[in-house]
């Protein structure tokens, strides 16, 4: 795949959020404060920044091992921060920074404004309600596990296909609706936009990327290291048919952080 498509690249979505550093008054972050952070290449304005550096380098090494071995660290923190700061628009707003790295190590960043979130780990709380959360559907077909579902890349075909099977044509990607994917064994692996976790036997557990499947996400890695999630063993895999109507699911990604959704079985409905 990496060799057959000249535009193929590895990717990560990174959140710029002034509240990560200026929590007292993020809306008042001005050009001078931003310029100081930019000049110092301060990583604290970018959610889980070190995780993204690691993720991009790990993926690049997987697809192009000879180049990564020759260059060492293809994506350096300094190069990534420089590209991210150049892409940020108004510094008092939050931005989704869609970051891609090519075979030769070129970094490209596309910025889109996203809503502020006062707590990027709010999904871990017990007080989330269905009416303020995401709606989660199940895909209708299996998604084979390949390198494309292990690392985030420019090839998003499996995820687009899952959403197209479940959601109506023209459905806005910004809507708070997720689709759960499952592998050849009918084990749930991830969402079309997020990693996922399920509450089982008094703890949150998430599919193992190396075993069951799913992307190696930055927020997932963070929660695992904090001990807030545990990776499932193979015999703990959540089967498609075991999912219950109204079941709460944690949804994890680098832009939303930790949110939650509630399962709605059957076809899509408003």
């Amino acid at each position: 795949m990496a060799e057959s498509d000249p535009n193929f690249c590895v990717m990560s979505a990174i959140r710029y959020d002034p509240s990560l550093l200026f929590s007292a008054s993020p809306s008042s972050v001005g050009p001078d404060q931003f310029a100081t952070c930019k000049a110092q290449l301060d990583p604290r304005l970018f959610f889980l920044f070190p995780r993204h550096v690691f993720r991009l380098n790990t993926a690049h090494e997987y697809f192009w091992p000879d180049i990564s071995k020759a260059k060492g660290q293809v994506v350096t923190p300094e190069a990534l921060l420089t590209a991210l700061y150049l892409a940020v628009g108004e510094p008092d707003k939050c931005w989704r920074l869609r970051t891609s790295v090519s075979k030769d190590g070129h970094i490209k960043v596309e910025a889109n404004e996203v809503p502020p979130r006062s707590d990027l780990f709010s999904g871990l709380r017990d007080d989330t309600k269905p009416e303020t959360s995401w709606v989660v559907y199940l895909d209708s077909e299996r998604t084979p596990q390949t390198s494309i579902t292990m690392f985030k890349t420019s090839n998003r075909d499996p995820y687009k296909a899952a959403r197209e099977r479940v959601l109506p044509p023209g459905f806005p990607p910004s809507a708070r609706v997720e689709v759960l994917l499952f592998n050849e064994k009918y084990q749930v692996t991830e969402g079309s936009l997020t990693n996922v976790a399920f509450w089982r036997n008094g703890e949150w557990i998430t599919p193992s990327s190396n075993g069951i499947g799913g992307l190696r996400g930055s927020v997932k890695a963070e929660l695992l290291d904090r001990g807030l999630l545990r990776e499932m063993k193979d015999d703990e895999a959540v089967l498609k048919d075991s999912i219950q109507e109204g079941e709460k699911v944690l949804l994890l990604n680098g832009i939303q952080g930790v949110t939650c959704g509630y399962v709605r079985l059957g076809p899509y409905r408003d």
Side-chain angles (χ1 to χ4, degrees):
M1 177 62 70
E3 296 302 327
S4 61
D5 180 1
N7 297 316
F8 182 86
C9 57
V10 297
M11 303 187 69
S12 200
I14 305 174
R15 182 185 181 95
Y16 167 87
D17 193 329
S19 69
L20 294 170
L21 185 56
F22 303 101
S23 57
S25 183
S27 61
S28 64
V29 176
D32 291 342
Q33 291 169 303
F34 181 76
T36 298
C37 292
K38 182 177 179 181
Q40 297 173 349
L41 292 181
D42 194 327
R44 292 175 294 173
L45 288 168
F46 304 97
F47 184 46
L48 301 180
F49 175 77
R51 299 278 182 192
H52 294 284
V53 176
F54 178 80
R55 183 188 197 189
L56 288 166
N57 279 302
T58 300
H60 192 281
E61 183 178 3
Y62 178 88
F63 289 106
W64 302 291
D66 292 342
I67 295 176
S68 290
K69 184 177 180 179
K71 288 189 174 183
Q73 190 177 38
V74 173
V75 181
T76 65
E78 295 78 14
L80 182 55
L81 283 168
T82 298
L84 293 174
Y85 270 110
L86 288 172
V88 170
E90 298 175 63
D92 60 341
K93 299 184 183 299
C94 299
W95 296 90
R96 177 184 186 270
L97 303 173
R98 185 176 183 268
T99 305
S100 59
V101 179
S102 66
K103 178 179 179 179
D104 62 5
H106 175 72
I107 300 172
K108 179 182 177 181
V109 182
E110 300 174 11
N112 297 98
E113 186 180 349
V114 294
R117 273 177 52 76
S118 59
D119 180 3
L120 287 169
F121 295 95
S122 63
L124 292 167
R125 295 201 307 266
D126 291 331
D127 61 351
T128 51
K129 301 294 190 295
E131 59 268 21
T132 59
S133 303
W134 288 51
V135 177
V136 179
Y137 289 95
L138 284 167
D139 194 3
S140 57
E141 296 182 15
R142 294 173 291 179
T143 297
Q145 297 304 291
T146 69
S147 58
I148 301 305
T149 58
M150 184 185 304
F151 298 101
K152 187 169 186 177
T153 73
S154 52
N155 184 345
R156 302 293 294 164
D157 290 350
Y159 305 99
K160 292 178 182 177
R163 295 184 72 81
E164 289 172 356
R165 284 191 290 266
V166 176
L167 304 176
F171 195 84
S174 59
R176 292 186 300 176
V177 176
E178 181 57 298
V179 176
L180 295 182
L181 280 64
F182 51 92
N183 62 21
E184 299 92 329
K185 298 178 181 179
Y186 295 93
Q187 299 166 329
V188 177
T189 56
E190 60 184 327
S192 62
L193 304 172
T194 63
N195 285 131
V196 297
F198 300 89
W199 185 255
R200 294 291 186 274
N201 299 317
E203 61 180 339
W204 289 107
I205 59 175
T206 186
S208 166
S209 297
N210 290 332
I212 298 168
L215 291 180
R216 301 176 176 184
S218 56
V219 177
K220 176 178 176 176
E222 179 73 11
L223 296 187
L224 286 170
D225 281 356
R226 291 191 189 189
L228 297 171
L229 291 183
R230 180 176 64 80
E231 281 196 317
M232 300 172 187
K233 300 173 184 176
D234 287 350
D235 61 0
E236 295 176 309
V238 174
L239 298 178
K240 170 181 177 287
D241 290 343
S242 73
I243 301 292
Q244 301 295 311
E245 174 75 23
E247 180 173 349
K248 181 178 178 179
V249 182
L250 287 190
L251 307 174
L252 326 169
N253 73 21
I255 303 303
Q256 297 296 326
V258 184
T259 57
C260 72
Y262 290 85
V263 172
R264 185 178 291 176
L265 297 178
Y268 173 80
R269 56 191 187 275
D270 291 330

